Amino acid sequence: KELTANFRELCKQAASAIKQADVMLFATGAGWSADSGLAVYQDIACVEEYQRLGLEYHDLCDPSCLSENAELFYGFWGKCFNDYRDTPPHEGYQIIKSWRDRFFSPSSHFGRLLQQMICQFRGHPNGPITSKVAKEEKDGLPGPFFCYTSNVDAHFSAAGYRACEIREIHGTTELWQCHDVDCLPPKVWPVPPEFRFSVDKTTMLYRDDAESNSKLHIESKVDMAENTNKSSLESLGEKFIDNRHPRCCCGQKARPAVLMFRDLGWDEDEVQQNNFENWKQAVNATLANSCEGQRNIGSQPEKCLSTQQNSEELETPHISDSEAKCRFVVLEVGCGLNVPTVRFHNEQLAASLGSCCTLIRVNPDTPLSPKESTGAASVISLLSKGLDAVREINLHLDSVPGTEMKA
């Protein structure tokens, strides 16, 4: 009741924390995608045919399902894939992107120092990386803003966020890979932009529709092969649907490059992972001289994932007291307890930053945080759906203290 009664005032506090921060991590779970109309974990398998067969989400989201019943597997993931592509990202994505541009610009003083440190972690100590390397490393350098999500719908990319500022910890259905763990590269490839799966909505099984899907593939080959190994991707494109099942160029069945349950064969996007790890270390190094009690951020590895830590000692640029406010804000939206990976990550991050950090937790069911999980960090709990909270916070940004484009 108290959280409901004080919702507007708490949103004002959240707006103030965002406007005064130097760095923002926007962390999302299934609840954020639900505002676009997509199913959350407990609902995604609530389909009459799955219930008749006694199947739950854990049964369908499992690589062994592909081996045992390919039509069922492709029916489930095909419907998810189609829904993700056919559902536009809700307006909250653009609101958050406007905050990024207003308050967390790479051209701010802190942003320039941060990018200098990222260059050092990436092995380019003399300044900005070349355009060729930038293309290989997810189109450049992130600024004082990053998206961290367990959602696999690729809606951050669809909403126009830069690839270098997105961390999809469970992968994305926009990338597919070989089901054979021993397959040689290229092991992961993008699906053509016009492609959709044919799924029987009564049986929820994949339907082979090779003629029409083949035509879509032929039209999409050029887009798929741009700036990559054209012959390899054309081969993948032809084989992906010109068979009874989607296949890799090696002939084995294909699967989405998504972390599933009991999954030993997922091909993680290592470039994306390294981008995020470098960003966290660079943020820590940039803040180190200016935040009392600063410790290494993100010292705990992402759950379910392996991390690469760069142990090389790097010189930290000097930041004067007048230049650095050293405020870090984590805005967490829609991260519940069914798959709590993002939620736990944010609590560990907030605890490691201590008084430098404010964690804004938005959730309609579980917005509270145990004090022992977040340490000295400030926590603002908003009992709300994500889009409603973001809209309300946005209303207060012009009236609370803070600065834009922190120079």
Side-chain angles (χ1 to χ4, degrees):
K1 291 183 178 179
E2 184 178 347
L3 290 178
T4 301
N6 295 331
F7 178 68
R8 291 193 66 188
E9 179 58 33
L10 290 169
C11 284
K12 287 183 181 180
Q13 294 178 23
S16 181
I18 291 168
K19 196 169 183 179
Q20 296 182 45
D22 295 289
V23 188
M24 177 173 175
L25 179 68
F26 181 47
T28 62
W32 181 245
S33 292
D35 283 321
S36 295
L38 297 172
V40 295
Y41 295 114
Q42 61 263 35
D43 297 331
I44 198 167
C46 288
V47 176
E48 183 177 352
E49 182 62 16
Y50 294 150
Q51 293 175 341
R52 186 185 71 81
L53 296 171
L55 296 172
E56 298 183 357
Y57 178 56
H58 290 72
D59 303 311
L60 298 161
C61 185
D62 189 321
S64 65
C65 182
L66 175 55
S67 302
E68 297 166 1
N69 190 334
E71 277 71 24
L72 179 66
F73 180 88
Y74 290 129
F76 172 74
W77 281 109
K79 183 180 185 305
C80 291
F81 178 90
N82 294 347
D83 288 346
Y84 297 159
R85 280 202 164 178
D86 294 337
T87 302
H90 59 73
E91 66 174 289
Y93 287 88
Q94 297 307 317
I95 294 174
I96 297 294
K97 194 160 67 167
S98 73
W99 299 355
R100 177 201 66 183
D101 296 339
R102 289 177 65 185
F103 308 123
F104 306 102
S105 169
S107 62
S108 67
H109 178 76
F110 188 91
R112 292 192 299 270
L113 289 173
L114 176 62
Q115 290 193 334
Q116 177 185 342
M117 185 58 64
I118 292 173
C119 285
Q120 292 189 50
F121 277 109
R122 287 187 177 183
H124 307 284
N126 295 324
I129 54 181
T130 66
S131 58
K132 180 179 179 181
V133 174
K135 191 71 177 178
E136 295 173 354
E137 298 190 356
K138 297 291 183 182
D139 66 34
L141 297 170
F145 174 90
F146 222 101
C147 305
Y148 183 85
T149 184
S150 60
N151 298 330
V152 299
D153 51 32
H155 274 198
F156 280 107
S157 296
Y161 288 74
R162 296 191 301 152
C164 66
E165 62 189 14
I166 301 171
R167 174 69 174 120
E168 294 158 316
I169 64 168
H170 293 160
T172 168
T173 57
E174 286 296 316
L175 295 177
W176 280 60
Q177 66 173 80
C178 187
H179 183 49
D180 183 359
V181 295
D182 296 321
C183 180
L184 297 175
K187 297 179 70 176
V188 177
W189 62 90
V191 181
E194 298 302 319
F195 177 77
R196 298 295 185 277
F197 281 89
S198 181
V199 179
D200 188 313
K201 294 184 179 179
T202 301
T203 64
M204 298 306 295
L205 298 178
Y206 167 75
R207 296 184 303 193
D208 179 31
D209 192 10
E211 182 178 352
S212 62
N213 286 333
S214 176
K215 183 174 183 295
L216 288 174
H217 238 303
I218 292 171
E219 292 173 348
S220 303
K221 280 182 187 176
V222 175
D223 295 333
M224 194 176 179
E226 184 180 2
N227 296 321
T228 58
N229 186 322
K230 184 174 181 180
S231 61
S232 295
L233 287 179
E234 283 186 347
S235 176
L236 287 169
E238 291 167 356
K239 291 216 176 253
F240 184 72
I241 201 63
D242 287 349
N243 294 275
R244 177 164 176 75
H245 299 122
R247 293 186 183 274
C248 174
C249 60
C250 73
Q252 296 294 322
K253 293 184 180 72
R255 50 158 286 189
V258 168
L259 179 62
M260 305 182 196
F261 296 100
R262 296 170 288 277
D263 194 346
L264 300 178
W266 175 47
D267 284 317
E268 185 173 4
D269 188 334
E270 293 182 357
V271 173
Q272 192 186 83
Q273 179 190 24
N274 291 339
N275 278 346
F276 184 61
E277 293 302 323
N278 287 340
W279 181 81
K280 286 199 297 183
Q281 293 178 71
V283 168
N284 178 69
T286 309
L287 290 175
N289 288 348
S290 60
C291 189
E292 182 180 357
Q294 177 68 34
R295 298 187 297 275
N296 290 331
I297 72 170
S299 57
Q300 296 294 326
E302 297 169 0
K303 292 184 182 296
C304 304
L305 303 173
S306 62
T307 59
Q308 283 185 292
Q309 298 293 335
N310 188 334
S311 59
E312 182 181 2
E313 292 294 329
L314 296 173
E315 181 181 355
T316 304
H318 175 70
I319 309 172
S320 68
D321 292 339
S322 61
E323 291 172 330
K325 299 176 182 178
C326 86
R327 298 186 181 101
F328 193 112
V329 65
V330 179
L331 175 59
E332 175 195 290
V333 179
C335 302
L337 297 174
N338 287 308
V339 182
T341 310
V342 177
R343 191 179 179 100
F344 290 164
H345 171 273
N346 297 335
E347 291 174 354
Q348 293 165 356
L349 176 60
S352 68
L353 283 165
S355 60
C356 299
C357 181
T358 298
L359 169 61
I360 304 169
R361 172 160 283 169
V362 183
N363 196 291
D365 302 309
T366 54
L368 298 177
S369 305
K371 181 62 178 177
E372 60 271 17
S373 299
T374 53
S378 299
V379 179
I380 300 173
S381 299
L382 299 178
L383 184 67
S384 170
K385 292 183 177 180
L387 181 55
D388 291 339
V390 166
R391 284 171 173 160
E392 184 67 25
I393 293 170
N394 197 50
L395 292 175
H396 300 292
L397 279 172
D398 290 331
S399 61
V400 297
T403 58
E404 300 185 20
M405 292 288 290
K406 306 174 185 68

